[in-house]
Amino acid sequence: MAGIPLYFVDLQDDLDDFGFEDYGPDCESMRISAFLDIPGQDNLTPLGRLEKYAFSDNIFNRQIIARGLLDVLRDFSSTEDDFLTVMEIVVRLSEDAEPTVRTELMEQIPQITIFLQESRPQFPRAVTEYLLPILIRYLTDPNNQVRKASQEALLILLEQDLIEQNDLENKVCPILLDLSAPENDDEYKVEAVNIICKMISMLGKQTVEQMLLPRFCDLCSDSKLFQVRKVCAANFGDVCNAVGQEATEKFLIPKFLELCSDSAWGMRKVCAECFMAVSYTTSSEIRRTKLSPLFINLISDPCRWVRQTAFQSLGPFISTFANPSTAGLYVKEDGTLSIRPPTDVSGSSALGSTSCCSSHGMCEFTAHSPSSSREDPKESPKRNSAEITGHPMAEDEGSHSRRPPSNCLYTEGRPADVFNSFHFWRSPLPDISEELELLPVEESNKDSEEESEPRPLCKTYMVSDIEKVLQSLQGHMDDPDVQAQVQVLSAALRAAELDSVTQEETESTQESSHLPEEPPTNVCTQCPSPTNQEQAESDLPTQSPISESVPHFPIVTYQEEDSSDCLEEEMCKIQDVVPQPLLDQYLSMTDPVRAQTVDTEITKHCAYSLPGVALTLGRQNWHFLKDTYETLASDVQWKVRRTLAFSIHELAVILGDKLTAADLVPIFNGFLKDLDEVRIGVLKHLYDFLKLLHADMRREYLYQLQEFLTTDNIRNWRFRYELAEQLTLILELYSPKDVYDYLRVIALTLCSDKVSEVRWISFKLIVAILQKFYASGENELGVNFINELILQFRHSSKWVGRQAFAFICQAVVNEECMPAEQFVTHMLPNLLSLASDPVPNVRVLLAKALKQTLLEKPYFTSMGNPHLEAVEKTVQAMQLDRDQDVRFFSAAEPKRHLSNTPLEQSVD
C-alpha cells in the first residue's frame, strides 16, 4: 500500500468531501478524465461522475472540471450522445455563480473550439450553438476578470478564423454595437471600442464599412470619455488600412482632423504616432493639402511630448510622399518602409526625378554646371532602378537608353543638364499675364560682356511689377505650388532691390535701347533655335516666344555657366516632392535648440529616417540633405553616428556612384576611424558599400582594411569575427594579386586569433582565398599561399596551429576549391604527417578529415589512385592509436563510390 498515492485513498474514502482538491493549484498537468474512470462507492458512470463534480458544492472541484474540459471532450465525444451530455454540462457550468469558475471555462473556449474544428468535424454546429453564445454572454458579465477572458477568447477565435461570417454579422457585431452605444456604461464602452478596433483589421472590408465604420466614426467624436477617443486614435492607422483609400478620405480623415486638434495632449500625441499609417492610405492630394498642415501644427504643439512624438514621426511621414512605382517603396506589415525593385525599369525616372519634358508639352531650359555632382538625367532612369536592387549599370549603357526629345535644348559636345523639378513638375498657376509686365533686356556686344563682370542675361523685373505679382498671388496661398512661386519671386524682389537703379536711369536706358519692344509676356527666356547653335553660343541670347502650351509662370534660364550662380542657387532651393515646410522642419532637427526644447535624442531620430527621406526626395534633391547628413555624421553622440554607419550602404544605393564618391566616401572614411560602436556599423555592410564604388576608389581601401584588426577593446572578438565574414565576401571585388598582397596577411592574422570562433570562421576565409586563386588560373599564387600555410600552421609550435592545418585541409577537400592533383601534391603529405603528432586533439581532427571527408570523395576512393594506399595506411595506424577518441573516429568504414571502383564493376 506504500505505493498507492494519497489522493486515491481520499477518493475511495470520501469522494463527496474531497474530490480533486488535494491536488492543489498546480493540477493543470493531470488528466481529469482518468480520475473520472476510478471506481468508487457511488456506482456512477464516468459521465455521471463528471456531472456530479461539475456541480459540487466544492468550488475547487468545479474549477478543476472547467479547467479539464478539453481532456473530457477528447475522451467522451466519440459518440453524439456523449458529446451532447458534455456540452450540456458545459452550458450549465457557464452559469456558475463563482467568477473563477467562469473564468476557467472561458480560458478553455479557444482550445475547445480548435479541437472541435480539427478533430470532431461531425459536430459542425457545436461552436455556433453552444460555445459562441457563452462567449457573447460573458462580454457583458458583471465580473471584470470574466469579461477580459471573454475578450481575449473572442480575438483568438477571430485571428484563427473560427467564427463564421454569418455569426459575426448577426451575433458578435450587434452585441459590440450595443455595448458601445452612447447610453451604455462607460466601462463597457471602452472595452467594446477596444474589440471593435481590433476586429476591424480582421473582418472583410464590406462588413466593416456597413456595420462598424459608422460606429467607429461616432466614437472618435465621443466628447464624454477621453479613453474612448484615445483608443480610436491609437488604432486609426489600422482602421484606415482596413477600409481603404476611398472610405478613409470620405469618413475617417475629417475625424482624424478632429482628433489631432483635441484639447487633451495625450490624444494629439497618439495621433502623431499613427500619422504615417494614416498618410499611407490617402491620396497624394489629401496628403499634401490636409495632412501636411495638420502635421506642422503637431510639430509646433505647445506640449513638449506631442512635439517630441511628431518629430519622431516626421521622417516616416515624409517617406509616404514617395511614388511607390518609381521610388520602390512599400510598407511592411509592421509599418516599416522597405525598398523593392521598381516594376518598370525603362519607364519614367526613378526616385522622383522628373520625366521627359515632351510629356508636359514644354521646352527644356537648362543651366550648365560642370562642377555639380548631379548625374546626367538621361542615364537616371536605368541607373536609379538598377542601383536600388544593388546592381549598378555602366554609365554609357544608361546614357543612351532613350533618344532625347526634339524640342529639348542640348549643347553639342557637353552633357545634357539635370532637369529642374520646379520647371516641369508644377501644375499650372493662375493666369497673371495681365498683371505681369516685363521690361526688355539690353543687348550688349560680346566684347563688352567679356570686359564686364558676369551677370544674369535674362530680362529683369521692376520692383513694382514684382510686388504687383506677389499681391496677385496672395489669394492663392492655399496652393503649395503658389507658395513655392511666391518664395522665388520674393527672392527675386530682394535681388532687384539691391541691384536696381533709379527710375530716371531705367527710363533713359529704355530710350537708348536698340532692341525692338516685345509684347508683354509672362515668361522670359533665351532659348536658341537648334539650327542656330553656333550663333547662339557666340552671340548673346535673344528673347524667343514660348509655346502656348507652357503653363503661365515665370521661368528664367541661362546658358553661361559663370552668370547663373545666383539664380541657380535660388532654383536649387525649390523641390515639389515634399511640401517645403515639412522638409524645413526635418532639416531643423539638427539644430541644438531642438535638443533643448523637444528631445535630447532628436538627432538620432533624424539619422534613423534619413535614408527614407533621401529616397523620397531622389538623388536630384540630395543637396537639400547634404549639410544635414554631414552635421549628423559629426554629431557628438556616438549613437547618432552609429545609426548613420549602419545605413550608409543603403544611402549609397539611393544616391548612385557619383554622389557616393563625392559626399559619402569622406564620411565613410571618418567612420572607419571612429569608435568601435560606430565602426561595427560600417564593418557589417563593408561589402555592400565597397561594391558600389568604382574599382580605383575601391582599391584605396585595401590599405585600410588591416586597421579593423585593431579595436578599442581587445576582448571584442565579435568585431574580428565580422571582419572575417566580410572579407570572404569582399574577395570577389579585388584581383587575385590584390588579394595576395593585402587580404592574405589579414586572413593569416585572423587564423591565429586567441578566440576559437574567430579562428574557425577565418579558416573558411582561407579556403575562399585558395578558391579565388585557382579559379582565376593563378596557380603560382595558390602554391605560394599553401607553402605559407604549411610554414605557419603545420610546423607551428602550438598544437592549435597544427590542428588548424588539419581543419583547413578538410575544408579544402570538402569545398573542392582547388584541383585534387594540386592538393595531393602540396598538402596531403603534410596532412598525413600529423598522424605522429603528440597531441591527441590534432590526431582526432586528422582522423575526422580522413574518414569523414577525404575518403568520401571519388578521387580518393578510386582503386587506381596512387595516394589511396598512403591514406589507408595512415588510417590503419590511427585505428591502433593509444587515444580512445582517435581510434573511434578512425574506425568507421569509408563509404566508397561503387561506380568508380573497378573491382565492383567486374563483380557486376
Side-chain angles (χ1 to χ4, degrees), residues 23-35 64 67-68 71:
Y23 291 95
D26 55 344
C27 58
E28 290 89 347
S29 60
M30 74 177 186
R31 193 170 182 83
I32 304 299
S33 57
F35 300 101
I64 294 302
R67 190 178 304 175
D71 289 337

Side-chain angles (χ1 to χ4, degrees), residues 102-345:
R102 301 198 301 273
T103 303
E104 292 283 359
L105 174 62
M106 185 49 57
E107 290 177 353
Q108 303 303 315
I109 292 295
Q111 290 80 3
I112 293 175
T113 304
I114 295 174
F115 168 75
L116 293 176
Q117 293 284 346
E118 296 177 353
S119 305
R120 296 294 184 268
Q122 66 269 29
F123 308 120
R125 303 295 299 170
V127 176
T128 300
E129 295 178 358
Y130 294 100
L131 301 182
L132 190 58
I134 298 175
L135 189 149
I136 294 176
R137 187 171 71 251
Y138 279 5
L139 290 175
T140 59
D141 195 275
N143 184 270
N144 180 60
Q145 188 176 5
V146 177
R147 293 200 307 273
K148 295 297 183 184
S150 63
Q151 295 166 14
E152 294 177 2
L154 176 60
L155 294 176
I156 293 175
L157 296 182
L158 288 173
E159 291 174 356
Q160 300 291 332
D161 196 20
L162 297 176
I163 303 179
E164 298 180 1
Q165 186 71 20
N166 185 50
D167 292 335
L168 282 175
E169 297 178 0
N170 299 327
K171 295 181 179 180
V172 179
C173 290
I175 187 65
L176 293 177
L177 294 177
D178 292 340
L179 293 175
S180 59
E183 65 277 1
N184 214 325
D185 185 81
D186 293 345
E187 187 175 3
Y188 288 172
K189 186 186 299 184
V190 174
E191 295 174 353
V193 172
N194 270 299
I195 301 177
I196 289 176
C197 293
K198 294 177 181 178
M199 279 182 57
I200 284 179
S201 60
M202 303 177 188
L203 301 179
K205 181 179 179 181
Q206 184 177 1
T207 304
V208 171
E209 291 184 2
Q210 293 178 355
M211 304 191 67
L212 299 181
L213 184 58
R215 177 54 53 86
F216 178 82
C217 294
D218 295 339
L219 294 172
C220 289
S221 303
D222 192 307
S223 59
K224 181 180 178 182
L225 284 178
F226 163 79
Q227 292 86 347
V228 172
R229 303 197 307 276
K230 187 174 182 180
V231 171
C232 293
N235 296 274
F236 212 93
D238 295 334
V239 176
C240 292
N241 185 44
V243 300
Q245 177 178 330
E246 182 179 355
T248 296
E249 296 180 355
K250 184 177 181 181
F251 301 107
L252 295 178
I253 290 300
K255 298 299 178 182
F256 190 68
L257 299 179
E258 295 179 7
L259 293 175
C260 289
S261 305
D262 198 276
S263 58
W265 67 266
M267 185 68 59
R268 303 194 299 274
K269 179 178 180 296
V270 173
C271 291
E273 292 174 352
C274 66
F275 216 95
M276 176 255 188
V278 176
S279 175
Y280 179 73
T281 316
T282 61
S283 63
S284 58
E285 180 182 359
I286 297 296
R287 188 180 301 126
R288 183 179 293 270
T289 58
K290 293 186 177 180
L291 295 184
S292 297
L294 190 63
F295 197 87
I296 294 297
N297 294 337
L298 294 177
I299 284 182
S300 57
D301 195 272
C303 178
R304 177 171 182 170
W305 304 113
V306 178
R307 298 197 304 271
Q308 177 179 329
T309 305
F311 272 109
Q312 293 177 11
S313 303
L314 178 56
F317 176 53
I318 290 178
S319 299
T320 61
F321 285 86
N323 188 345
S325 61
T326 56
L329 276 178
Y330 75 103
V331 180
K332 292 183 178 179
E333 294 181 355
D334 56 358
T336 58
L337 282 167
S338 297
I339 302 175
R340 74 154 58 97
T343 55
D344 185 9
V345 178

Side-chain angles (χ1 to χ4, degrees), residues 623-851:
H623 56 275
F624 287 99
L625 301 174
K626 179 182 177 181
D627 294 339
T628 300
Y629 191 78
E630 293 176 352
T631 302
L632 293 171
S634 59
D635 195 276
V636 294
Q637 301 182 61
W638 64 266
K639 292 183 179 180
V640 177
R641 305 194 303 275
R642 174 185 170 92
T643 303
L644 295 181
F646 271 94
S647 62
I648 192 171
H649 66 288
E650 296 287 358
L651 191 59
V653 174
I654 296 171
L655 297 183
D657 51 359
K658 292 185 178 180
L659 291 178
T660 297
D663 299 334
L664 297 188
V665 167
I667 295 176
F668 182 83
N669 295 336
F671 288 158
L672 293 178
K673 303 175 182 179
D674 212 312
L675 302 176
D676 285 351
E677 289 80 4
V678 179
R679 296 170 68 201
I680 189 63
V682 174
L683 180 59
K684 277 186 173 293
H685 303 285
L686 186 61
Y687 166 76
D688 297 326
F689 185 83
L690 292 181
K691 73 179 181 181
L692 300 175
L693 303 180
H694 290 296
D696 296 338
M697 182 172 294
R698 185 189 306 146
R699 197 171 184 275
E700 297 177 0
Y701 288 95
L702 285 170
Y703 308 93
Q704 305 180 40
L705 291 177
Q706 195 163 356
E707 297 179 3
F708 282 110
L709 294 173
T710 305
T711 56
D712 299 337
N713 186 358
I714 195 173
R715 296 181 179 180
N716 188 7
W717 61 269
R718 289 178 177 83
F719 201 92
R720 302 188 295 277
Y721 184 93
E722 189 65 41
L723 175 61
E725 284 193 328
Q726 287 296 313
L727 289 179
T728 306
L729 300 174
I730 288 174
L731 292 178
E732 70 176 60
L733 303 179
Y734 295 101
S735 65
K737 187 66 168 57
D738 288 338
V739 171
Y740 185 84
D741 293 340
Y742 300 99
L743 303 185
R744 170 186 59 88
V745 180
I746 304 176
L748 293 175
T749 304
L750 292 172
C751 286
S752 303
D753 197 89
K754 294 182 179 180
V755 181
S756 62
E757 290 290 338
V758 179
R759 294 197 302 270
W760 294 119
I761 191 66
S762 302
F763 298 153
K764 297 181 180 180
L765 173 61
I766 294 293
V767 173
I769 292 177
L770 284 173
Q771 186 173 11
K772 183 175 183 63
F773 289 158
Y774 284 99
S776 304
E778 299 289 344
N779 293 358
E780 183 178 356
L781 294 179
V783 172
N784 293 339
F785 189 45
I786 290 174
N787 293 333
E788 195 167 1
L789 293 175
I790 295 173
L791 180 62
Q792 180 168 342
F793 297 107
R794 169 60 190 86
H795 301 293
S796 174
S797 59
K798 298 181 179 180
W799 68 268
V800 176
R802 301 192 298 274
Q803 187 187 52
F805 183 78
F807 183 84
I808 291 174
C809 292
Q810 182 181 12
V812 167
V813 175
N814 189 47
E815 297 294 334
E816 299 181 357
C817 63
M818 58 187 297
E821 296 81 2
Q822 293 285 330
F823 175 80
V824 298
T825 302
H826 300 287
M827 301 189 75
L828 184 60
N830 292 277
L831 176 65
L832 297 179
S833 65
L834 292 176
S836 59
D837 196 278
V839 179
N841 285 346
V842 178
R843 302 197 302 274
V844 166
L845 197 56
L846 173 62
K848 290 182 179 180
L850 296 179
K851 297 293 293 186

